[in-house]
Amino acid sequence: MAKLTIEDLKKIRQQAQGTVTMREGSHRAKITVHMGTCGIAAGARKIMDAFLAEVSRSGGTDVVLTTSGCAGLCSREPMATVEIRGSAPVKYIDLDEAKVKKIFEDHVLKEKPVTEYALVQGSETTY
Amino acid sequence: MERVYRTHILVCAGTGCVSAGSLKVRDALVREIEKHGLEEEVMVATTGCNGFCAAGPIAVVHPDGIFYKRLNVEDVPYFVEELLVKGRVVEKHLFAEEERNELIPVMNDIGFFKNQVLVALKNRALIDPDVIDEYIGRDGYVATSRALTEMSPGAIVEEIQKSGLRGRGGGGFSTGLKWKFCMETKGDVKYILCNADEGDPGAFMDRYILESDPHAVLEGMIIGGKAIGANKGYIYVRAEYPLAIQRLNTAIAQAREYGLLGENILGSGFDFDIELYYGAGAFVCGEETALMQSIEGKRGMPRPRPPFPAQKGLWGKPTVLNNVETYANVPQIILRGSAWFSSLGTETSKGTKVFALTGDVNNIGLIEVPMGITLRKIVYDIGGGIKNNRELKAIQIGGPSGGCLPASIIDTPVDYESIIKTGAIVGSGGMVVMDDSNCMVDIARFFLEFTAEESCGKCTPCRVGTRILLEKLKDITEGRGKDGDIEILETISRNIISSSLCGLGQTAPNPVLTTIRYFRHEYEAHIYDKKCPAGKCKALISYIIDPEKCTGCMLCKRNCPQECITGEKKTPHVIDQTLCIRCGLCYESCRFNAIRVE
């Protein structure tokens, strides 16, 4: 490893941003793939992999991807929820890899929800 | 481009968690994750201490920052299945606060963490201390690059001075002023030293800063080096801190590889390098002049000042010595500005302070709090109150140089001036909480035993005086106290303070003076009534069986190592006081509360 310049330092910092964002909770967008038994059976793993590939490909460091259990609507799995900081979460249903690509490009990157794939906007009330 | 993971599992690898088995848990997690084929999407990393040592082994799972406590190897398959395969929160290992009686999943909702403000510990549990890139990712070495390329030594000193940062090792001297004196001293060779010779019993602040964020300390030293014009730094670290040493060595090697230590750092033309020096564990070597003698290969003993180290320090050269925590604050001040730093804390005590919170509180661990926070907030909001629903009796602050503060002044703010007024000192950050089962005379004896042992022997008042204090305290706790003893303790204490050369002697009597000041009645009970109100001093107590309550179950009789309990089955037992050694086994074994301490 050659000696760093100030530019190199900035580059390393940029590259580590994804890790930092994840741990600080300072992400702009969060994608949750629902991976209950129903989701897994309907192919949520493929959806998960597709999102992972999209996040890697985009090189964005402000997006986190995570999983959760069943969202309660087992017949419309695989499902995922996309949350942009400051706006209501959107639940997407009946996903496949092509839909993932579009959702990622439009909603996650450009912050425009893909209404035709969406089930609903918002979340249930919790106590 | 770095790999993207959906989950980061950050396993705590501070000394506390490691000794509770966290590295085994980490290895089991890695194996289990590979078994499920999830290694491409889940990252397992180790971090420095989270501070909540009582709950170890700890892991924090991101995103969401869910805090898991008391993990063990046996539970790992279940943990991975629930968390990663099914995507659920693993309730079994969540933290619960006793009085709230509910599970608290998110780390920053837990009282212990919520009430802390992190500056020196800002990277704790967020980065792997062995990976320099993670440190750089959280703005690491930005302060260094700014200080080396954009700031003059005078500008750095001014910024540190304006921030109000004061020495975190105990003295509380203005760091900026210290740097200024050394900067203004002429000399080709100067040194910058880091005091990591943490010696207070029960204190582990510096150890954990070095273990969880070694680069922050290196950065503070590089910036200090530029400010005073030094090209060489030494870290005087206790040889008893193997993990801290290992992480420091790794950090120094990585920094050298990146050219962040060595010649022409970041192309700025400034050269600086750091070496470790292992201390052999003498308490007096935490004193600055003794520490320098020790590095020079001489016996660690203090020497008179002036000349101050800023004029004549290590090998007679101008030297600045600061403590680990002080250095860890420096990059943050350069990065975020003196105005930001001085907005934290009180009028005269700026910033935060790290404390090792221990003793009879529910949440034992390492905490960082803004200066000026009250002791009450530390004990109850962060510490979670006193264990086993007992009463708070005293808070020992500042270790063997500090004092015991009674529960009645629990609303005292923790800043340099307020604590000095109580007779204690903020010190390096040891904080021992004591419940009503502690005897204050015995506590004073404990600390004097330590300082009498650690006195280097150079000054007679300290060498002989601490011995006399110790003997007197032993007499009092063992029932040989006489009228006038308290006054003798006070006089000798004052003489030691006024005639010792260094901080060790000047503060050693503090535990005696504060316990007399706040708990005089306990001394009097020992001396005049030959009683220990807390039931701690063996020579002054006796165990007595209440014949009304004793059922004659014979349990105490069987447990007594002296075989001095007599009595037939189902008839009240009696302890022979002439044979009893007051071990307390009968007291602990009785199921009917029939044995009392008098």
Side-chain angles (χ1 to χ4, degrees), chain B residues 517-531:
Chain B
R517 175 166 163 189
Y518 296 113
F519 301 95
R520 198 182 185 98
H521 54 278
E522 273 192 48
Y523 279 84
E524 288 167 351
H526 282 75
I527 295 169
Y528 302 112
D529 311 335
K530 305 289 175 211
K531 295 253 187 242

Side-chain angles (χ1 to χ4, degrees), chain A residues 7-112:
Chain A
E7 281 311 307
D8 298 332
L9 197 63
K10 280 187 190 143
K11 244 178 263 164
I12 297 175
R13 192 153 134 245
Q14 198 54 42
Q15 276 168 14
Q17 273 315 299
T19 297
V20 172
T21 308
M22 167 80 112
R23 294 180 191 174
E24 281 180 347
S26 57
H27 51 269
R28 178 183 58 82
K30 179 173 168 185
I31 307 163
T32 308
V33 180
H34 298 279
M35 291 184 79
T37 306
C38 47
I40 294 170
R45 170 121 306 270
K46 265 198 294 186
I47 301 304
M48 175 79 212
D49 292 344
F51 270 121
L52 261 181
E54 289 298 324
V55 177
S56 302
R57 210 171 48 84
S58 75
T61 52
D62 52 359
V63 179
V64 300
L65 179 60
T66 184
T67 59
S68 78
C70 168
L73 195 63
C74 311
S75 57
R76 309 303 295 272
E77 295 279 4
M79 291 175 64
T81 304
V82 174
E83 256 178 289
I84 304 292
R85 192 174 290 274
S87 30
V90 176
K91 282 196 168 58
Y92 291 102
I93 49 173
D94 300 326
L95 293 175
D96 58 33
E97 278 141 318
K99 287 181 183 171
V100 164
K101 213 172 166 56
K102 186 157 172 59
I103 290 168
F104 190 82
E105 268 163 22
D106 289 5
H107 193 176
V108 177
L109 294 182
K110 297 182 196 142
E111 306 196 359
K112 278 192 221 108

Side-chain angles (χ1 to χ4, degrees), chain B residues 307-424:
Chain B
F308 286 96
Q311 277 91 41
K312 268 180 190 284
L314 185 63
W315 287 302
K317 305 294 181 192
T319 302
V320 156
L321 172 85
N322 286 122
N323 146 282
V324 170
E325 190 186 336
T326 313
Y327 283 124
N329 276 298
V330 167
Q332 294 310 307
I333 294 170
I334 297 296
L335 199 61
R336 304 177 70 171
S338 55
W340 161 79
F341 188 81
S342 61
S343 70
L344 295 165
T346 67
E347 196 54 45
T348 53
S349 303
K350 302 298 187 188
T352 57
K353 178 77 196 88
V354 180
F355 287 99
L357 182 64
T358 168
D360 300 320
V361 277
N362 281 311
N363 303 338
I364 286 173
L366 196 72
I367 60 168
E368 182 169 2
V369 289
M371 288 278 189
I373 189 174
T374 60
L375 289 167
R376 181 188 299 277
K377 221 168 150 59
I378 294 179
V379 172
Y380 289 97
D381 294 352
I382 297 174
I386 309 299
K387 266 187 214 163
N388 307 320
N389 291 321
R390 295 192 75 116
E391 289 289 310
L392 170 70
K393 181 169 185 178
I395 301 163
Q396 211 286 336
I397 171 168
S401 311
C404 285
L405 309 181
S408 59
I409 57 169
I410 190 172
D411 288 310
T412 306
V414 179
D415 61 65
Y416 291 107
E417 279 70 28
S418 307
I419 295 294
I420 288 211
K421 272 187 220 143
T422 66

